[in-house]
Amino acid sequence: MDKLSVMHAYRRIVERGNFARAAEDIGVSPALLSREIKLLEESLGSVLLTRTTRSMSVTDAGRLYYDEAIGILDAVSKVETRIRDGAGTVRGHLKVNAPSSFGQTVIAPMLPAFRNAYPDLSLTLSLDDRMVDMVEGGFDVSIRIRAAMPDSALVARKLGAVRQRIFAAPAYLDRAGHPKTPQDIAQHAVIGFLLADHLTSWSLRGCSGASTVELDPRVRVGNSLVLRDLLIAGQGIGTLPDFVSNAPEARGELVRVLPDWELPAPEILAVTASRLGMDARVMAFLEHLRAALRT
C-alpha cells in the first residue's frame, strides 16, 4: 500500500463528502477506493469513516488522521516545489499581506524593481491594518509589525525594527506650546492610532528612564497615513512609525516632540505558514524588501 497515495485519496474522500466523487477526482473506481481505505483502517487498527448506503461520517480518529494528512501532504508538495524551483527560477503566483501604511510607503515603491526583476511572477498584494488569518486567506507571506508574535504554528522571521516616536506640526506647537515632560502630553490634543496597543496609554522610554502617560485621544483613526495627515494639518500630537514619519520630518512638516522619549520599538516580521522554510518566490520578495528597509 502506497501510504502517500492512500493518504491523498482519504483527504479527497473527506473533502468531497463521499467515495464516488473522490474516486472520480482521482480517476479510480469507488470499489477500489473503498478497499484501499479499508486496508488503511486495518493497518491503523481504527475506524476512520463510518459508512452506510446513504451517508458517510468521519470518526474522531478519522478527523485526527485527516488533519495530520493535510500537513504531511502539503509539506511534501512544498518540498517538491522547492526542489523543482531549486535552480532559483522565480515564477508562479505570490500572495502577500501587509499593513496598509507599510504597504503604501515601503512595499509599493519597491514593486516596480521587483516586478522588473521577476517578470514571470504574478503578484497579489493585500493591505489591511487588522490582523488577518494568512492561512485562510491563502497568503504566502504576511508582513506584520508587532512587539512579539503570539504563540502559533506560524513561523516569523525578523526583518528589522520600527522606531515609534512622537510628532506634531510646528504650527500646532506654536499655538499650543511644547510639552516639557511626558505627563504634559495629556494636556494636549492627542490623535490616537485606533489599532495600536498604546491607544490610551503611552509607555515611553528615554535617557532618563521610563514614563507612562494615560491619555484620552480626542481623535482616533485606524490608519497611520490618515494620522500623519492630521498631524501635518496641525490637529494635535501623535505617534508615528519611522517609515511614515521620515519624509514629512525631512520636509519640516512634522517635528519631534520630546525627542529624548519614544515608545518601545516593534519588530517587522515576515510570517509564513510553513515550517520547511521559504520558497524562491518569498525569498525573492523579502530580499527586495530588506533592501528597501535599508534605504
Side-chain angles (χ1 to χ4, degrees):
M1 178 171 56
D2 182 341
K3 277 292 182 68
L4 281 179
S5 295
V6 175
M7 193 177 291
H8 173 70
Y10 177 78
R11 176 179 181 177
R12 295 304 299 156
I13 293 168
V14 173
E15 292 174 348
R16 295 289 274 159
N18 66 50
F19 279 70
R21 286 194 290 265
E24 183 179 352
D25 289 350
I26 298 169
V28 299
S29 70
L32 175 61
L33 197 55
S34 181
R35 284 197 298 272
E36 289 292 322
I37 298 303
K38 186 66 175 177
L39 288 173
L40 174 63
E41 291 176 326
E42 289 174 358
S43 71
L44 296 172
S46 184
V47 175
L48 304 180
L49 302 169
T50 56
R51 308 184 280 283
T52 67
T53 56
R54 295 189 177 183
S55 66
M56 182 198 81
S57 61
V58 183
T59 66
D60 290 343
R63 177 58 57 182
L64 174 62
Y65 190 86
Y66 171 78
D67 290 340
E68 294 298 325
I70 288 176
I72 293 169
L73 292 170
D74 288 350
V76 170
S77 176
K78 288 178 180 178
V79 168
E80 292 174 344
T81 299
R82 290 177 65 193
I83 291 173
R84 282 194 294 268
D85 294 340
T89 302
V90 179
R91 59 177 177 265
H93 184 76
L94 177 67
K95 193 171 183 181
V96 180
N97 164 257
S100 296
S101 55
F102 186 85
Q104 293 179 63
T105 59
V106 179
I107 296 178
M110 68 162 241
L111 286 184
F114 177 67
R115 293 285 298 117
N116 290 338
Y118 304 106
D120 294 331
L121 180 69
S122 61
L123 174 71
T124 296
L125 175 61
S126 174
L127 302 181
D128 195 326
D129 282 318
R130 295 185 182 275
M131 186 75 73
V132 301
D133 186 327
M134 64 170 297
V135 176
E136 182 178 326
F139 295 106
D140 298 295
V141 61
S142 179
I143 306 302
R144 299 183 180 175
I145 300 174
R146 299 178 60 86
M149 275 291 294
D151 291 337
S152 73
L154 302 176
V155 180
R157 297 168 177 84
K158 181 179 176 180
L159 301 179
V162 175
R163 299 191 71 178
Q164 188 89 4
R165 294 171 290 196
I166 310 167
F167 289 92
Y172 172 84
L173 296 174
D174 289 343
R175 182 175 72 250
H178 292 251
K180 299 293 193 297
T181 69
Q183 299 306 318
D184 292 343
I185 294 174
Q187 309 305 316
H188 283 260
V190 174
I191 303 176
F193 183 45
L194 193 59
L195 305 178
D197 294 335
H198 59 270
L199 175 62
T200 59
S201 180
W202 292 1
S203 297
L204 301 173
R205 298 173 181 173
C207 57
S208 60
S211 180
T212 299
V213 184
E214 302 300 329
L215 302 166
D216 183 16
R218 298 182 187 179
V219 178
R220 307 177 183 203
V221 298
N223 183 281
S224 293
L225 299 182
V226 175
L227 197 158
R228 174 203 63 191
D229 291 345
L230 288 171
L231 295 180
I232 291 173
Q235 294 298 299
I237 291 175
T239 65
L240 290 174
D242 52 13
F243 58 83
V244 172
S245 65
N246 284 343
E249 184 181 15
R251 293 190 296 264
E253 296 170 332
L254 293 174
V255 297
R256 292 277 306 276
V257 175
L258 298 174
D260 294 332
W261 296 86
E262 58 187 80
L263 279 81
E267 295 181 341
I268 304 171
L269 302 171
V271 181
T272 59
S274 172
R275 293 185 177 88
L276 300 176
M278 299 175 289
D279 64 20
R281 300 165 303 150
V282 175
M283 291 176 66
F285 177 80
L286 294 183
E287 181 180 314
H288 277 252
L289 181 53
R290 286 190 181 96
L293 291 170
R294 289 193 295 265
T295 60

